[in-house]
Amino acid sequence: MEALLPALKSHPGPSVLVWALLFRGIHWLLQRLPVPKVVKQDDLCSWKWRNLSVSMVHSLLTGTWAVICVVVWPEMLRNIHSYYAPHSYLLICISTGYFVQDAGDIIVTGHARGSWEFLLHHALVIWCFLYALYTQLYVSGAVVALFVEVNSVTLHLRLMLKLAGAQDSSIYRINKLVNLFTYVTFRLSTQFYLTWFIVHNYSWLDHAGYFLFSIIVMNIMILIYFYRLLRADFFPRSKRYVGQNGIHNNNSKKFLND
């Protein structure tokens, strides 16, 4: 790590591209794994499954890594502006590479229109993470932001179970409760803390206006999806209502449907 860090700091852009290519390699390897028959029958479902599989790898890796970093170096939570550990800089390089790869996958495969909210989210994250890598500021803030990936694990599992038609399984019922807990604990709480920190220290933080704007946009998106999540898993509409209003047809091409 001691020898790798200077190279990463000297060439953050190329380092991100290397990790993007590595995640593309992971994408290729995961395509070789068996998938449920119901997923194979639909091209859109097949793409979603592959995309979610790579996202699951990223979430398991970065979510765990981010929590460990803050546990080992608690100063990262108190000083998200200028303090960071070598391992955390590498973490942001890896995560930025994933977001670049995922954005490219969405665009190249022709799913940009149905996944515009993901592209907007990825654009904001990539810009913020690249700023951290090039300036070496807000690296700890980026690590704390990756706490949301702990929730992404259960969120991805939820969507994969839906793709496999397992909404009535005991695994899905257990996961939706765990997903609700992690959503509040790791996603909403993380966003609240980062928003509070920027507002509280707005007068002296570098480019605070841009970061505040970015996080507010993400907050709005997260709250909207939280509403959709609660509506779908805990307050579902009747099948008759859904059919009459064409909800399934209208949302059939959305990457993140309820």
Side-chain angles (χ1 to χ4, degrees), residues 116-178:
W116 66 268
E117 54 197 283
F118 266 88
L119 290 178
L120 173 60
H121 170 270
H122 286 8
L124 293 172
V125 171
I126 290 170
W127 195 99
C128 291
F129 280 17
L130 284 177
Y131 179 95
L133 292 175
Y134 275 97
T135 65
Q136 297 170 39
L137 298 174
Y138 298 105
V139 175
S140 291
V143 172
V144 173
L146 286 174
F147 273 34
V148 303
E149 295 300 329
V150 176
N151 168 247
S152 292
V153 173
T154 56
L155 203 57
H156 296 332
L157 179 58
R158 170 186 179 271
L159 292 172
M160 294 177 80
L161 288 170
K162 291 192 73 173
L163 288 174
Q167 295 97 317
D168 296 325
S169 66
S170 57
I171 295 177
Y172 187 92
R173 289 193 292 270
I174 294 171
N175 182 73
K176 75 176 185 179
L177 295 175
V178 178

Side-chain angles (χ1 to χ4, degrees), residues 12 21 24 26 36 41 60 63 67 78 98 111-112 115 119-120 136 138 142 146 169 176-177 185 199 208 216 233:
L21 291 174
R24 196 61 191 171
I26 293 173
Q41 296 172 359
L60 286 168
V67 173
R78 296 188 290 269
Y98 160 75
H111 296 95
S115 309
L119 290 178
L120 173 60
Q136 297 170 39
Y138 298 105
L146 286 174
S169 66
K176 75 176 185 179
L177 295 175
T185 305
V199 171
I216 287 175
D233 277 355

Side-chain angles (χ1 to χ4, degrees), residues 16 18 56 69 72 76 85 87 109 165-166 183 188 217 222 235 258:
V16 167
V18 168
M56 180 70 84
C69 278
V72 176
M76 295 179 65
H87 297 78
T109 54
Y183 204 104
L188 293 179
V217 172
I222 287 172
F235 307 100
D258 291 341

Side-chain angles (χ1 to χ4, degrees), residues 117-118 120-121 217-226:
E117 54 197 283
F118 266 88
L120 173 60
H121 170 270
V217 172
M218 285 191 246
N219 287 346
I220 293 171
M221 295 172 66
I222 287 172
L223 289 173
I224 290 174
Y225 188 70
F226 187 52

Side-chain angles (χ1 to χ4, degrees), residues 1-233:
M1 179 59 66
E2 296 291 335
L4 180 60
L5 187 59
L8 294 176
K9 288 182 177 179
S10 300
H11 309 285
S15 301
V16 167
L17 291 179
V18 168
W19 286 109
L21 291 174
L22 288 174
F23 272 107
R24 196 61 191 171
I26 293 173
H27 180 279
W28 180 82
L29 290 173
L30 291 175
Q31 288 187 56
R32 272 59 189 165
L33 298 179
V35 300
K37 291 182 179 179
V38 66
V39 174
K40 286 183 178 181
Q41 296 172 359
D42 184 272
D43 290 339
L44 180 61
C45 288
S46 296
W47 174 76
K48 285 183 180 182
W49 185 275
R50 293 193 302 270
N51 188 281
L52 286 168
S53 298
V54 181
S55 297
M56 180 70 84
V57 173
H58 169 258
S59 296
L60 286 168
L61 173 65
T62 59
T64 304
W65 193 336
V67 173
I68 291 174
C69 278
V70 172
V71 170
V72 176
W73 296 284
E75 180 63 22
M76 295 179 65
L77 194 61
R78 296 188 290 269
N79 183 4
I80 70 173
H81 174 259
S82 54
Y83 178 86
Y84 69 92
H87 297 78
S88 59
Y89 192 92
L90 175 60
L91 170 60
I92 303 310
C93 279
I94 294 173
S95 188
T96 308
Y98 160 75
F99 285 113
V100 169
Q101 183 278 149
D102 194 52
D105 181 60
I106 292 172
I107 294 170
V108 171
T109 54
H111 296 95
R113 184 175 180 180
S115 309
W116 66 268
E117 54 197 283
F118 266 88
L119 290 178
L120 173 60
H121 170 270
H122 286 8
L124 293 172
V125 171
I126 290 170
W127 195 99
C128 291
F129 280 17
L130 284 177
Y131 179 95
L133 292 175
Y134 275 97
T135 65
Q136 297 170 39
L137 298 174
Y138 298 105
V139 175
S140 291
V143 172
V144 173
L146 286 174
F147 273 34
V148 303
E149 295 300 329
V150 176
N151 168 247
S152 292
V153 173
T154 56
L155 203 57
H156 296 332
L157 179 58
R158 170 186 179 271
L159 292 172
M160 294 177 80
L161 288 170
K162 291 192 73 173
L163 288 174
Q167 295 97 317
D168 296 325
S169 66
S170 57
I171 295 177
Y172 187 92
R173 289 193 292 270
I174 294 171
N175 182 73
K176 75 176 185 179
L177 295 175
V178 178
N179 184 46
L180 179 63
F181 172 77
T182 58
Y183 204 104
V184 174
T185 305
F186 289 96
R187 192 173 292 271
L188 293 179
S189 297
T190 296
Q191 291 295 123
F192 173 80
Y193 176 73
L194 291 174
T195 304
W196 172 84
F197 186 93
I198 294 173
V199 171
H200 186 70
N201 300 281
Y202 187 87
S203 61
W204 63 270
L205 289 175
D206 298 273
H207 296 93
Y210 174 78
F211 286 104
L212 182 59
F213 169 78
S214 300
I215 203 166
I216 287 175
V217 172
M218 285 191 246
N219 287 346
I220 293 171
M221 295 172 66
I222 287 172
L223 289 173
I224 290 174
Y225 188 70
F226 187 52
Y227 162 75
R228 289 163 53 188
L229 182 70
L230 291 175
R231 187 190 66 191
D233 277 355

